[in-house]
Amino acid sequence: QVQLVESGGGSVQAGGSLRLSCAASRYTGSIDCMGWFRQAPGKEREGVATIHSDGSMILEDSVKGRFTISKENGWNTLYLQMNSLKPEDTGLYYCAAELSLRRCRRDDFGSWGQGTQVTVFS
């Protein structure tokens, strides 16, 4: 599996910005997609943004126009730029990766990081 380490979380006032980073190692040359997910207290984990090997990107509706997903140096580093943050963006943010194109098409990620906490206060 791909090893993933997230960083960049923190506490920020509503309207502020944060940039999350995810450092990937092992099998990075075989990654077909990566993504960011989040889980708020008492809620199920949800997808925030994904990027595929063909360059296509998908953003969850509530973050469109505010969040941007990007990658650098192949798949070695994944970013999530978060602007105009809202209290409802609060949660534990996970980075995920997948080596199988077929599983990418199903948003079925096999490798996960430990998460980084994002707290947005009003």
Side-chain angles (χ1 to χ4, degrees), residues 4-8 21-23 36 93-96 112-116:
L4 303 167
V5 179
E6 303 97 334
S7 61
S21 300
C22 173
W36 289 98
Y93 281 69
Y94 297 91
C95 172
W112 294 85
Q114 294 299 307
T116 185

Side-chain angles (χ1 to χ4, degrees), residues 74-92:
W75 291 105
N76 286 355
T77 308
L78 184 72
Y79 298 104
L80 185 68
Q81 178 67 44
M82 305 186 294
N83 299 328
S84 302
L85 282 161
K86 304 176 181 180
E88 51 264 44
D89 294 318
T90 294
L92 188 60

Side-chain angles (χ1 to χ4, degrees), residues 29-47:
S30 299
I31 292 174
D32 274 314
C33 63
M34 292 186 74
W36 289 98
F37 295 75
R38 66 186 179 190
Q39 187 167 21
K43 294 187 177 181
E44 291 188 357
R45 186 167 61 192
E46 64 174 354

Side-chain angles (χ1 to χ4, degrees), residues 46-63:
E46 64 174 354
V48 176
T50 57
I51 183 168
H52 291 247
S53 56
D54 64 359
S56 61
M57 293 178 279
I58 300 172
L59 292 169
E60 196 267 330
D61 285 345
S62 69
V63 307

